[in-house]
Amino acid sequence: MTKKILIADDDINIIASLKFVLADEGFDILAVTTPEAALASVKNQAVDLVLLDMNFQHDTTSGAEGISLVSAITSLELNIPIIVMTGWATIDIAVEAMQAGAKDFIQKPWKNERMLSAIANQLAIVQSDKKAQRLSQQNQLLTSQSHPSNRQGIIAQSPVMQKLLSTLDDLAQSEMSILLTGDNGTGKSMLASYVHQVSNRAKHSFVPVNMGAIPESLFESEMFGHVKGAFTDAKESRVGRFEMAEQGTLFLDELANIPFAQQAKLLRVLEEQKFEAVGSSKSLQANVRIISATNSDLLADIKNSQFREDLYYRLNTIELRVPSLNERIEDIPALAEHFLLQFSTKYHRTLPQLTDEAVLALQQYQWPGNIRELSHLMERVLFTCKKACIDADDLMLKVSEDNGESLDDPSLSLEAIERKVLIKRLAFFQGNATETAKSLGLSRSGYYRRLSKYELV
Protein backbone atom coordinates (compact mmCIF):
# COMPACT_ATOMS: atom_id res chain seq x y z
CA MET A 1 0.00 0.00 0.00
CA THR A 2 1.35 3.43 -1.01
CA LYS A 3 2.53 5.50 1.96
CA LYS A 4 1.53 9.17 2.21
CA ILE A 5 4.12 11.71 3.36
CA LEU A 6 3.16 15.20 4.45
CA ILE A 7 5.79 17.85 3.65
CA ALA A 8 5.50 21.11 5.61
CA ASP A 9 7.85 23.86 4.39
CA ASP A 10 7.30 27.47 3.31
CA ASP A 11 9.95 27.22 0.58
CA ILE A 12 8.33 25.96 -2.62
CA ASN A 13 11.74 25.08 -4.05
CA ILE A 14 12.41 22.75 -1.12
CA ILE A 15 8.98 21.19 -1.61
CA ALA A 16 9.63 20.68 -5.33
CA SER A 17 12.98 19.00 -4.63
CA LEU A 18 11.50 16.69 -2.00
CA LYS A 19 8.58 15.79 -4.24
CA PHE A 20 10.98 14.84 -7.02
CA VAL A 21 12.98 12.52 -4.77
CA LEU A 22 10.10 10.97 -2.82
CA ALA A 23 7.65 10.52 -5.70
CA ASP A 24 10.35 8.62 -7.55
CA GLU A 25 10.41 6.20 -4.60
CA GLY A 26 6.68 5.56 -4.91
CA PHE A 27 5.45 7.78 -2.06
CA ASP A 28 2.19 9.75 -2.24
CA ILE A 29 3.07 13.38 -1.42
CA LEU A 30 0.95 16.02 0.31
CA ALA A 31 2.60 19.45 0.64
CA VAL A 32 1.62 22.49 2.73
CA THR A 33 3.38 25.77 3.48
CA THR A 34 2.02 26.72 6.91
CA PRO A 35 1.89 25.07 10.36
CA GLU A 36 -1.89 25.57 10.44
CA ALA A 37 -2.35 23.68 7.18
CA ALA A 38 -0.03 20.90 8.38
CA LEU A 39 -2.01 20.41 11.60
CA ALA A 40 -5.32 20.40 9.71
CA SER A 41 -3.95 17.79 7.29
CA VAL A 42 -2.98 15.27 9.97
CA LYS A 43 -6.34 15.76 11.66
CA ASN A 44 -8.46 15.21 8.58
CA GLN A 45 -6.71 12.55 6.51
CA ALA A 46 -4.52 9.50 6.88
CA VAL A 47 -0.82 10.45 6.81
CA ASP A 48 1.96 7.94 7.35
CA LEU A 49 4.85 10.34 8.06
CA VAL A 50 5.46 14.08 8.46
CA LEU A 51 8.56 15.77 7.08
CA LEU A 52 8.72 19.37 8.28
CA ASP A 53 11.01 22.36 8.36
CA MET A 54 11.62 24.07 11.68
CA ASN A 55 11.12 27.65 10.41
CA PHE A 56 8.17 28.99 8.47
CA GLN A 57 9.11 32.69 8.37
CA HIS A 58 12.10 34.00 6.42
CA ASP A 59 13.01 36.45 9.16
CA THR A 60 13.45 33.98 12.00
CA THR A 61 15.74 31.06 12.78
CA SER A 62 14.43 30.25 16.25
CA GLY A 63 12.64 27.06 15.24
CA ALA A 64 9.80 27.95 17.61
CA GLU A 65 7.10 27.40 15.00
CA GLY A 66 8.46 23.98 14.13
CA ILE A 67 8.76 22.87 17.77
CA SER A 68 5.21 24.09 18.46
CA LEU A 69 3.94 22.14 15.44
CA VAL A 70 5.75 18.97 16.54
CA SER A 71 4.19 19.27 19.99
CA ALA A 72 0.71 19.84 18.53
CA ILE A 73 0.92 16.80 16.23
CA THR A 74 2.36 14.61 19.01
CA SER A 75 -0.44 15.60 21.39
CA LEU A 76 -2.99 14.13 18.98
CA GLU A 77 -1.56 10.65 19.75
CA LEU A 78 -1.95 9.53 16.14
CA ASN A 79 1.32 7.57 16.10
CA ILE A 80 2.57 9.50 13.06
CA PRO A 81 6.39 9.71 12.95
CA ILE A 82 7.81 13.21 12.49
CA ILE A 83 11.17 13.92 10.87
CA VAL A 84 12.38 17.51 11.15
CA MET A 85 14.72 19.31 8.76
CA THR A 86 17.25 21.78 10.12
CA GLY A 87 20.35 23.67 9.00
CA TRP A 88 23.92 22.84 9.95
CA ALA A 89 24.06 25.58 12.58
CA THR A 90 20.82 24.71 14.35
CA ILE A 91 21.40 21.21 15.76
CA ASP A 92 20.22 22.44 19.16
CA ILE A 93 16.81 23.16 17.61
CA ALA A 94 16.68 19.59 16.31
CA VAL A 95 17.35 18.32 19.82
CA GLU A 96 14.46 20.42 21.15
CA ALA A 97 12.25 19.01 18.40
CA MET A 98 13.17 15.46 19.40
CA GLN A 99 12.25 16.28 23.00
CA ALA A 100 8.91 17.60 21.74
CA GLY A 101 8.15 14.33 19.95
CA ALA A 102 10.03 14.22 16.65
CA LYS A 103 11.57 10.84 15.82
CA ASP A 104 14.55 11.91 13.72
CA PHE A 105 16.14 14.94 12.06
CA ILE A 106 17.84 15.61 8.75
CA GLN A 107 20.41 18.32 8.21
CA LYS A 108 20.18 20.70 5.28
CA PRO A 109 21.44 20.37 2.65
CA TRP A 110 20.36 16.77 2.87
CA LYS A 111 21.71 13.66 1.24
CA ASN A 112 19.03 11.63 -0.47
CA GLU A 113 20.36 8.33 0.87
CA ARG A 114 20.22 9.61 4.47
CA MET A 115 16.69 10.98 4.01
CA LEU A 116 15.29 7.82 2.41
CA SER A 117 16.92 5.68 5.07
CA ALA A 118 15.40 7.79 7.88
CA ILE A 119 11.94 7.62 6.29
CA ALA A 120 12.17 3.87 5.74
CA ASN A 121 13.26 3.29 9.35
CA GLN A 122 10.42 5.31 10.83
CA LEU A 123 7.78 3.68 8.63
CA ALA A 124 9.11 0.24 9.60
CA ILE A 125 8.93 1.11 13.31
CA VAL A 126 5.31 2.28 12.99
CA GLN A 127 4.39 -0.87 11.08
CA SER A 128 5.97 -3.01 13.78
CA ASP A 129 4.16 -1.09 16.54
CA LYS A 130 0.80 -1.46 14.77
CA LYS A 131 1.36 -5.18 14.30
CA ALA A 132 2.20 -5.56 17.98
CA GLN A 133 -0.97 -3.67 18.95
CA ARG A 134 -3.11 -5.81 16.65
CA LEU A 135 -1.61 -9.01 18.03
CA SER A 136 -2.06 -7.82 21.60
CA GLN A 137 -5.75 -7.14 21.08
CA GLN A 138 -6.22 -10.30 19.04
CA ASN A 139 -4.87 -12.33 21.94
CA GLN A 140 -7.63 -10.88 24.10
CA LEU A 141 -10.27 -12.34 21.80
CA LEU A 142 -11.60 -15.86 22.16
CA THR A 143 -9.24 -17.24 19.52
CA SER A 144 -7.51 -19.92 21.53
CA GLN A 145 -9.13 -22.83 19.70
CA SER A 146 -6.62 -25.10 18.03
CA HIS A 147 -7.47 -25.26 14.34
CA PRO A 148 -5.62 -27.41 11.79
CA SER A 149 -3.24 -25.65 9.45
CA ASN A 150 -3.52 -28.20 6.65
CA ARG A 151 -5.89 -30.81 5.27
CA GLN A 152 -4.11 -33.67 7.01
CA GLY A 153 -5.18 -32.18 10.33
CA ILE A 154 -8.89 -32.44 9.48
CA ILE A 155 -10.78 -35.67 10.13
CA ALA A 156 -12.86 -36.07 6.98
CA GLN A 157 -13.11 -39.58 5.55
CA SER A 158 -16.74 -39.27 4.51
CA PRO A 159 -17.47 -38.47 0.85
CA VAL A 160 -19.54 -35.41 1.78
CA MET A 161 -16.65 -33.87 3.74
CA GLN A 162 -14.06 -34.81 1.13
CA LYS A 163 -16.12 -32.97 -1.47
CA LEU A 164 -16.52 -29.93 0.79
CA LEU A 165 -12.79 -29.74 1.53
CA SER A 166 -11.89 -30.00 -2.15
CA THR A 167 -14.20 -27.09 -2.86
CA LEU A 168 -12.71 -25.05 -0.01
CA ASP A 169 -9.17 -25.78 -1.25
CA ASP A 170 -10.08 -24.27 -4.61
CA LEU A 171 -11.90 -21.29 -3.11
CA ALA A 172 -9.02 -20.54 -0.74
CA GLN A 173 -6.91 -19.43 -3.70
CA SER A 174 -9.49 -16.81 -4.64
CA GLU A 175 -10.55 -13.62 -2.89
CA MET A 176 -14.29 -14.27 -3.01
CA SER A 177 -16.48 -14.08 0.07
CA ILE A 178 -17.68 -17.41 1.45
CA LEU A 179 -20.85 -18.03 3.44
CA LEU A 180 -20.87 -21.25 5.50
CA THR A 181 -24.26 -22.52 6.62
CA GLY A 182 -25.27 -25.49 8.76
CA ASP A 183 -26.31 -26.46 12.26
CA ASN A 184 -24.56 -25.37 15.45
CA GLY A 185 -21.51 -27.42 16.35
CA THR A 186 -20.69 -28.65 12.83
CA GLY A 187 -17.25 -27.02 12.69
CA LYS A 188 -17.88 -23.90 10.61
CA SER A 189 -15.30 -21.82 12.50
CA MET A 190 -12.68 -24.56 12.07
CA LEU A 191 -13.31 -24.66 8.32
CA ALA A 192 -13.14 -20.85 8.07
CA SER A 193 -9.75 -20.95 9.80
CA TYR A 194 -8.64 -23.74 7.46
CA VAL A 195 -9.50 -21.65 4.37
CA HIS A 196 -7.39 -18.82 5.78
CA GLN A 197 -4.45 -21.12 6.58
CA VAL A 198 -4.25 -22.47 3.02
CA SER A 199 -4.91 -19.11 1.32
CA ASN A 200 -2.51 -16.41 0.13
CA ARG A 201 -3.38 -14.43 3.26
CA ALA A 202 -2.07 -17.08 5.67
CA LYS A 203 0.87 -14.89 6.77
CA HIS A 204 -1.57 -12.36 8.20
CA SER A 205 -4.22 -12.53 10.92
CA PHE A 206 -7.36 -14.67 11.07
CA VAL A 207 -9.79 -12.68 13.21
CA PRO A 208 -13.06 -14.34 14.26
CA VAL A 209 -15.88 -12.33 15.75
CA ASN A 210 -19.19 -13.58 17.17
CA MET A 211 -21.60 -11.03 15.75
CA GLY A 212 -24.34 -11.91 18.20
CA ALA A 213 -22.16 -11.29 21.24
CA ILE A 214 -21.43 -7.64 20.40
CA PRO A 215 -23.84 -5.16 22.08
CA GLU A 216 -25.46 -2.93 19.48
CA SER A 217 -24.16 0.20 21.20
CA LEU A 218 -20.56 -1.02 20.80
CA PHE A 219 -20.86 -2.42 17.29
CA GLU A 220 -18.95 0.35 15.50
CA SER A 221 -16.25 0.54 18.17
CA GLU A 222 -15.68 -3.23 18.09
CA MET A 223 -15.68 -3.53 14.32
CA PHE A 224 -14.02 -0.28 13.27
CA GLY A 225 -12.12 0.79 16.40
CA HIS A 226 -12.18 4.13 18.19
CA VAL A 227 -9.78 6.95 19.00
CA LYS A 228 -8.99 8.18 22.48
CA GLY A 229 -11.75 10.44 23.79
CA ALA A 230 -14.30 9.36 21.17
CA PHE A 231 -16.79 8.66 23.97
CA THR A 232 -16.88 8.70 27.76
CA ASP A 233 -15.09 5.41 28.42
CA ALA A 234 -12.63 5.71 25.52
CA LYS A 235 -9.56 6.27 27.69
CA GLU A 236 -7.24 5.00 24.96
CA SER A 237 -7.44 4.27 21.25
CA ARG A 238 -8.59 0.80 20.22
CA VAL A 239 -7.97 -1.17 17.06
CA GLY A 240 -11.17 -2.58 15.53
CA ARG A 241 -11.62 -6.03 14.04
CA PHE A 242 -11.30 -4.79 10.46
CA GLU A 243 -7.92 -3.19 11.13
CA MET A 244 -6.86 -6.20 13.17
CA ALA A 245 -7.54 -8.42 10.15
CA GLU A 246 -5.75 -6.12 7.68
CA GLN A 247 -4.47 -8.21 4.74
CA GLY A 248 -5.85 -11.29 6.49
CA THR A 249 -9.28 -12.87 7.00
CA LEU A 250 -12.22 -11.60 9.03
CA PHE A 251 -14.61 -14.36 10.10
CA LEU A 252 -18.14 -13.14 10.87
CA ASP A 253 -19.71 -15.91 12.95
CA GLU A 254 -23.44 -15.95 13.84
CA LEU A 255 -23.98 -13.63 10.89
CA ALA A 256 -27.77 -13.45 11.21
CA ASN A 257 -27.47 -11.75 14.59
CA ILE A 258 -26.03 -8.48 13.33
CA PRO A 259 -28.52 -5.79 14.45
CA PHE A 260 -30.51 -4.61 11.44
CA ALA A 261 -29.55 -0.98 12.04
CA GLN A 262 -25.86 -1.87 11.88
CA GLN A 263 -26.07 -3.97 8.73
CA ALA A 264 -25.96 -0.88 6.51
CA LYS A 265 -22.68 0.23 8.12
CA LEU A 266 -21.11 -3.15 7.50
CA LEU A 267 -22.36 -3.14 3.90
CA ARG A 268 -20.81 0.28 3.28
CA VAL A 269 -17.40 -0.92 4.44
CA LEU A 270 -17.60 -4.03 2.27
CA GLU A 271 -18.60 -2.00 -0.79
CA GLU A 272 -16.13 0.86 -0.38
CA GLN A 273 -13.36 -1.15 1.32
CA LYS A 274 -12.87 1.81 3.64
CA PHE A 275 -13.94 2.66 7.19
CA GLU A 276 -13.45 5.27 9.89
CA ALA A 277 -12.71 4.61 13.54
CA VAL A 278 -15.28 6.09 15.93
CA GLY A 279 -14.27 9.68 16.67
CA SER A 280 -12.03 9.97 13.61
CA SER A 281 -12.71 11.44 10.17
CA LYS A 282 -9.82 9.60 8.54
CA SER A 283 -10.62 6.77 6.16
CA LEU A 284 -8.66 3.55 6.58
CA GLN A 285 -8.35 0.80 4.01
CA ALA A 286 -10.20 -2.47 4.62
CA ASN A 287 -8.08 -5.01 2.78
CA VAL A 288 -9.65 -8.14 4.29
CA ARG A 289 -11.19 -11.35 3.04
CA ILE A 290 -14.63 -12.05 4.52
CA ILE A 291 -15.85 -15.50 5.53
CA SER A 292 -19.23 -15.70 7.25
CA ALA A 293 -21.21 -18.41 9.02
CA THR A 294 -24.77 -18.84 10.17
CA ASN A 295 -27.21 -21.54 11.20
CA SER A 296 -30.14 -19.31 10.33
CA ASP A 297 -32.28 -19.25 7.18
CA LEU A 298 -31.14 -15.89 5.85
CA LEU A 299 -33.63 -15.90 2.96
CA ALA A 300 -36.43 -16.22 5.51
CA ASP A 301 -34.82 -13.44 7.57
CA ILE A 302 -34.76 -11.25 4.45
CA LYS A 303 -38.44 -11.95 3.83
CA ASN A 304 -39.18 -11.01 7.44
CA SER A 305 -37.15 -7.79 7.12
CA GLN A 306 -34.57 -8.99 9.65
CA PHE A 307 -31.61 -9.16 7.25
CA ARG A 308 -30.65 -6.90 4.36
CA GLU A 309 -30.85 -8.56 0.97
CA ASP A 310 -28.00 -6.45 -0.45
CA LEU A 311 -25.72 -7.47 2.44
CA TYR A 312 -26.65 -11.12 1.92
CA TYR A 313 -25.57 -11.04 -1.72
CA ARG A 314 -22.43 -9.11 -0.85
CA LEU A 315 -21.37 -11.85 1.59
CA ASN A 316 -22.33 -14.99 -0.27
CA THR A 317 -20.33 -14.92 -3.47
CA ILE A 318 -20.54 -18.64 -2.81
CA GLU A 319 -22.62 -20.41 -0.16
CA LEU A 320 -21.61 -23.81 1.21
CA ARG A 321 -23.48 -25.98 3.68
CA VAL A 322 -21.45 -27.80 6.32
CA PRO A 323 -23.00 -31.25 6.90
CA SER A 324 -24.31 -32.30 10.30
CA LEU A 325 -22.50 -35.10 12.10
CA ASN A 326 -25.27 -37.62 11.40
CA GLU A 327 -24.63 -37.04 7.68
CA ARG A 328 -20.98 -38.12 7.98
CA ILE A 329 -21.14 -41.27 10.09
CA GLU A 330 -17.92 -42.53 8.48
CA ASP A 331 -16.06 -39.81 10.40
CA ILE A 332 -17.55 -40.56 13.83
CA PRO A 333 -15.09 -43.31 14.93
CA ALA A 334 -12.02 -41.25 14.05
CA LEU A 335 -13.47 -38.12 15.63
CA ALA A 336 -14.31 -39.97 18.84
CA GLU A 337 -10.80 -41.43 19.06
CA HIS A 338 -9.32 -38.00 18.35
CA PHE A 339 -11.24 -36.42 21.24
CA LEU A 340 -10.37 -39.28 23.59
CA LEU A 341 -6.68 -38.82 22.80
CA GLN A 342 -6.96 -35.05 23.16
CA PHE A 343 -8.59 -35.21 26.60
CA SER A 344 -6.50 -38.08 27.93
CA THR A 345 -3.41 -36.01 27.10
CA LYS A 346 -4.93 -32.89 28.63
CA TYR A 347 -5.90 -34.61 31.88
CA HIS A 348 -2.93 -37.02 32.00
CA ARG A 349 -5.15 -40.10 31.98
CA THR A 350 -4.71 -43.52 30.40
CA LEU A 351 -6.19 -43.61 26.90
CA PRO A 352 -9.16 -46.05 26.80
CA GLN A 353 -10.31 -47.89 23.68
CA LEU A 354 -13.78 -47.92 22.13
CA THR A 355 -15.34 -51.34 21.58
CA ASP A 356 -17.05 -52.18 18.28
CA GLU A 357 -20.39 -51.98 20.06
CA ALA A 358 -19.56 -48.49 21.35
CA VAL A 359 -18.58 -47.34 17.87
CA LEU A 360 -21.84 -48.70 16.46
CA ALA A 361 -23.83 -46.90 19.17
CA LEU A 362 -22.05 -43.65 18.32
CA GLN A 363 -22.89 -44.07 14.64
CA GLN A 364 -26.55 -44.82 15.34
CA TYR A 365 -27.04 -41.78 17.56
CA GLN A 366 -28.57 -38.66 15.94
CA TRP A 367 -26.15 -36.08 17.45
CA PRO A 368 -28.39 -33.00 17.80
CA GLY A 369 -25.35 -31.16 19.19
CA ASN A 370 -23.10 -32.36 16.36
CA ILE A 371 -19.31 -32.43 16.79
CA ARG A 372 -19.43 -30.28 19.91
CA GLU A 373 -21.71 -32.83 21.59
CA LEU A 374 -19.38 -35.69 20.60
CA SER A 375 -16.42 -33.82 22.07
CA HIS A 376 -18.24 -33.26 25.36
CA LEU A 377 -19.29 -36.92 25.50
CA MET A 378 -15.73 -38.15 25.06
CA GLU A 379 -14.48 -35.76 27.73
CA ARG A 380 -17.16 -36.95 30.15
CA VAL A 381 -16.75 -40.68 29.51
CA LEU A 382 -13.02 -40.39 30.13
CA PHE A 383 -13.90 -39.71 33.77
CA THR A 384 -17.04 -41.81 34.21
CA CYS A 385 -15.69 -45.03 32.67
CA LYS A 386 -12.97 -46.62 34.80
CA LYS A 387 -12.25 -49.46 32.37
CA ALA A 388 -9.63 -49.89 29.66
CA CYS A 389 -12.37 -50.35 27.07
CA ILE A 390 -15.44 -48.17 26.63
CA ASP A 391 -18.57 -50.17 25.84
CA ALA A 392 -21.89 -48.95 24.45
CA ASP A 393 -23.49 -48.86 27.91
CA ASP A 394 -20.67 -46.65 29.22
CA LEU A 395 -21.63 -43.95 26.72
CA MET A 396 -25.07 -43.56 28.34
CA LEU A 397 -26.58 -42.33 25.08
CA LYS A 398 -30.29 -41.69 25.28
CA VAL A 399 -31.98 -42.92 22.15
CA SER A 400 -35.59 -42.37 23.18
CA GLU A 401 -37.99 -40.74 20.78
CA ASP A 402 -37.21 -37.27 22.06
CA ASN A 403 -33.46 -38.02 22.20
CA GLY A 404 -33.34 -37.28 25.91
CA GLU A 405 -34.94 -33.89 25.59
CA SER A 406 -37.67 -34.55 28.19
CA LEU A 407 -37.73 -32.19 31.15
CA ASP A 408 -39.71 -34.58 33.39
CA ASP A 409 -36.66 -36.30 34.85
CA PRO A 410 -36.69 -35.34 38.58
CA SER A 411 -32.91 -35.74 38.75
CA LEU A 412 -32.30 -32.83 36.37
CA SER A 413 -30.73 -29.73 37.89
CA LEU A 414 -32.01 -26.23 37.11
CA GLU A 415 -29.00 -25.64 34.87
CA ALA A 416 -29.64 -28.89 32.96
CA ILE A 417 -33.27 -27.91 32.43
CA GLU A 418 -32.27 -24.44 31.23
CA ARG A 419 -29.78 -25.91 28.78
CA LYS A 420 -32.39 -28.31 27.35
CA VAL A 421 -34.93 -25.51 27.01
CA LEU A 422 -32.43 -23.41 25.09
CA ILE A 423 -31.68 -26.30 22.71
CA LYS A 424 -35.36 -27.11 22.09
CA ARG A 425 -36.39 -23.49 21.64
CA LEU A 426 -33.54 -22.80 19.21
CA ALA A 427 -34.52 -25.88 17.21
CA PHE A 428 -38.17 -24.74 17.19
CA PHE A 429 -37.18 -21.40 15.66
CA GLN A 430 -34.82 -23.13 13.19
CA GLY A 431 -31.71 -21.47 14.54
CA ASN A 432 -33.09 -17.92 14.54
CA ALA A 433 -31.41 -16.44 17.62
CA THR A 434 -33.46 -13.23 17.60
CA GLU A 435 -36.78 -15.06 17.73
CA THR A 436 -35.45 -17.57 20.27
CA ALA A 437 -34.30 -14.81 22.62
CA LYS A 438 -37.60 -12.95 22.23
CA SER A 439 -39.64 -16.07 23.01
CA LEU A 440 -37.65 -16.60 26.22
CA GLY A 441 -37.95 -12.98 27.30
CA LEU A 442 -34.17 -12.50 27.09
CA SER A 443 -32.13 -9.63 25.75
CA ARG A 444 -29.78 -10.55 22.92
CA SER A 445 -26.73 -10.19 25.16
CA GLY A 446 -28.39 -12.19 27.96
CA TYR A 447 -29.28 -14.93 25.50
CA TYR A 448 -25.70 -15.18 24.25
CA ARG A 449 -24.34 -15.25 27.78
CA ARG A 450 -26.44 -18.35 28.38
CA LEU A 451 -25.36 -19.95 25.09
CA SER A 452 -21.75 -19.35 26.08
CA LYS A 453 -22.35 -20.67 29.60
CA TYR A 454 -23.67 -23.97 28.26
CA GLU A 455 -21.15 -24.09 25.38
CA LEU A 456 -23.86 -23.95 22.72
CA VAL A 457 -22.01 -21.42 20.54
Side-chain angles (χ1 to χ4, degrees), residues 155-360:
I155 298 172
Q157 300 171 6
S158 59
V160 65
M161 282 300 295
Q162 286 287 323
K163 181 179 179 181
L164 177 60
L165 286 176
S166 294
T167 302
L168 290 175
D169 284 339
D170 290 337
L171 294 175
Q173 307 312 310
S174 74
E175 289 293 306
M176 67 177 69
S177 298
I178 300 173
L179 174 61
L180 299 174
T181 63
D183 295 336
N184 276 329
T186 52
K188 296 187 289 293
S189 62
M190 180 271 290
L191 292 174
S193 176
Y194 169 73
V195 171
H196 171 76
Q197 293 295 337
V198 297
S199 74
N200 297 325
R201 294 176 176 264
K203 294 186 295 184
H204 303 283
S205 296
F206 172 76
V207 179
V209 50
N210 185 331
M211 304 307 296
I214 299 178
E216 185 169 0
S217 60
L218 296 178
F219 180 87
E220 289 182 81
S221 176
E222 288 290 330
M223 297 303 295
F224 313 130
H226 64 249
V227 298
K228 181 178 179 180
F231 47 87
T232 303
D233 294 327
K235 295 181 173 58
E236 59 183 19
S237 296
R238 178 182 175 85
V239 175
R241 308 297 174 89
F242 269 93
E243 188 174 357
M244 207 180 297
E246 177 66 16
Q247 299 185 64
T249 302
L250 183 62
F251 175 49
L252 307 180
D253 201 5
E254 303 293 342
L255 179 66
N257 297 299
I258 303 175
F260 192 83
Q262 305 296 349
Q263 292 176 21
K265 297 171 184 176
L266 178 60
L267 177 65
R268 172 183 169 270
V269 175
L270 298 179
E271 288 181 336
E272 299 180 5
Q273 296 187 324
K274 292 181 179 179
F275 64 94
E276 295 82 37
V278 177
S280 172
S281 59
K282 297 180 182 179
S283 292
L284 301 175
Q285 293 294 319
N287 177 14
V288 300
R289 197 234 185 111
I290 302 293
I291 301 179
S292 312
T294 184
N295 64 349
S296 182
D297 183 347
L298 290 181
L299 293 178
D301 290 343
I302 291 170
K303 186 176 180 180
N304 295 327
S305 300
Q306 295 176 335
F307 200 86
R308 292 180 62 106
E309 186 175 17
D310 46 7
L311 178 59
Y312 170 74
Y313 287 111
R314 171 65 61 176
L315 291 170
N316 81 329
T317 305
I318 186 167
E319 182 175 328
L320 299 172
R321 179 180 174 275
V322 181
S324 300
L325 186 56
N326 59 21
E327 298 174 63
R328 41 183 297 206
I329 60 174
E330 299 93 336
D331 297 328
I332 291 176
L335 284 167
E337 291 172 358
H338 165 75
F339 291 130
L340 277 177
L341 176 59
Q342 182 183 73
F343 291 122
S344 64
T345 302
K346 176 181 178 180
Y347 297 118
H348 306 289
R349 287 179 169 255
T350 302
L351 176 64
Q353 300 299 313
L354 291 164
T355 65
D356 292 342
E357 290 76 13
V359 170
L360 182 60

Side-chain angles (χ1 to χ4, degrees), residues 68-82:
S68 177
L69 179 55
V70 169
S71 297
I73 295 175
T74 301
S75 68
L76 297 175
E77 298 185 13
L78 299 173
N79 198 29
I80 302 174
I82 303 170

